Amino acid sequence: MRAKIVAGNWKMNKRLEEAEALVFGICQSLKDATIDDAYQLIICPPALYLNTVQDVISEEDRSQIFVGAQNCHEKDAGAFTGEIAAPMLTDLGISHVIIGHSERRSYYGETDELLKAKVENALRNDLSVIFCCGEQLSVREENGHFDLVEKQVRTALFHLSPEQLSNVIIAYEPVWAIGTGVVASPEQAEEMHAHIRQLLTTQFDATLAANTTILYGGSCKPANAEAIFSKPNVDGGLIGGASLKADAFVELYKILREVA
Ligand code: PGA
């Protein structure tokens, strides 16, 4: 069975002490939740705080709270000033990396081809990938969203072996819903998730498709999560704004555990 996950993408937020307080708060709020291997929390802080965040998470909590990076380079090493390589993340004990977030695509020009190389390199370095896809509003208005997401997923993931794909989590994040307060309707999320799962079934097989976690991202918060997380093809969320508050983030995790 696929894992159900709430992942927090802190983006470029929090000063050091705030970061420590946030992860401490998350651990504290989780105290009354029993550990269940089927459910996971992933925290993706700015790269400079990866170690700090790991240090706050106790051994016991590490079976349900994982730490991920927000990006990594497509090469293992070299003259790439300011970049972070996948092996460096592995050395720190980091388990996940987000690849293809729409902010990386739009502000830093990351193309589907580049993301393919990043996915490959991350997997080769034993990182699990949270691969983001999603359409802009103009694409949806022209009814091109299914085709666009298919192209993103096809280019970056379809060349992988089944074993490699089993270490990929997909996050469907419609660009028009990210940080806007406009959330996709549960039906919109479900139909895209079902579409993605169908693509995986056709390219790989039904078992692998059924075992792939597909998260929804875009203005997800406790007030709207229940309806979205209840949909059969939605396996949790990739959370931006609401992951910056311990209570809201853990509340999302609890909602997921109640409905899924
Ligand atoms: P948001 O961000 O929850 O603030 O909309 C989601 C994301 O960018 O992953």
Side-chain angles (χ1 to χ4, degrees):
M1 262 312 281
R2 56 189 183 254
K4 307 282 179 175
I5 297 170
V6 171
N9 174 12
W10 292 6
K11 309 191 181 183
M12 196 177 72
N13 289 299
K14 301 292 176 189
R15 300 290 294 269
L16 180 60
E17 276 183 22
E18 296 168 333
E20 281 170 336
L22 176 53
V23 63
F24 183 75
I26 291 168
C27 294
Q28 286 301 110
S29 307
L30 268 182
K31 282 278 174 271
D32 53 339
T34 49
I35 292 178
D36 181 336
D37 285 346
Y39 299 90
Q40 300 171 4
L41 270 177
I42 306 173
I43 300 175
C44 302
L48 284 176
Y49 301 155
L50 286 167
N51 256 354
T52 306
V53 165
Q54 277 178 314
D55 286 348
V56 175
I57 302 170
S58 70
E59 279 300 324
E60 194 196 343
D61 284 340
R62 280 180 200 192
S63 56
Q64 65 178 336
I65 310 179
F66 297 83
V67 182
Q70 297 174 13
N71 180 33
C72 70
H73 198 266
E74 69 276 17
K75 297 234 165 64
D76 277 352
F80 302 106
T81 302
E83 289 291 326
I84 293 169
M88 299 173 186
L89 297 172
T90 314
D91 284 349
L92 291 187
I94 298 305
S95 52
H96 294 74
V97 60
I98 299 173
I99 295 201
H101 191 280
S102 72
E103 285 149 20
R104 299 292 319 172
R105 292 174 187 264
S106 62
Y107 302 149
Y108 304 100
E110 296 195 354
T111 61
D112 289 334
E113 284 299 328
L114 175 72
L115 298 172
K116 173 183 179 184
K118 287 192 176 207
V119 166
E120 245 168 46
N121 196 47
L123 291 171
R124 202 163 39 75
N125 283 288
D126 297 326
L127 294 163
S128 293
V129 167
I130 303 173
F131 176 75
C132 302
C133 55
E135 80 286 354
Q136 297 85 348
L137 186 57
S138 57
V139 174
R140 178 166 280 266
E141 283 170 346
E142 286 165 12
N143 211 24
H145 46 297
F146 291 117
D147 287 347
L148 184 98
V149 168
E150 174 168 349
K151 179 171 168 287
Q152 292 172 331
V153 170
R154 180 178 294 282
T155 310
L157 304 182
F158 273 18
H159 65 294
L160 298 176
S161 68
E163 199 201 329
Q164 286 176 310
L165 189 78
S166 68
N167 288 313
V168 176
I169 295 158
I170 296 175
Y172 168 57
E173 300 205 302
V175 178
W176 45 272
I178 296 178
T180 57
V182 181
V183 66
S185 70
E187 292 70 28
Q188 286 172 322
E190 171 60 19
E191 65 175 359
M192 185 59 84
H193 285 224
H195 176 64
I196 295 169
R197 209 177 297 286
Q198 184 54 47
L199 292 172
L200 298 178
T201 303
T202 308
Q203 177 65 21
F204 296 92
D205 63 58
T207 309
L208 193 54
N211 286 338
T212 302
T213 298
I214 307 179
L215 307 178
Y216 167 78
S219 298
C220 193
K221 50 182 193 268
N224 59 32
E226 189 179 338
I228 297 174
F229 292 172
S230 316
K231 290 293 177 189
N233 282 292
V234 179
D235 306 313
L238 177 55
I239 316 296
S243 74
L244 298 173
K245 293 198 179 90
D247 287 350
F249 188 55
V250 173
E251 183 61 24
L252 286 165
Y253 180 68
K254 289 181 177 165
I255 291 170
L256 179 68
R257 288 183 55 158
E258 272 159 28
V259 302

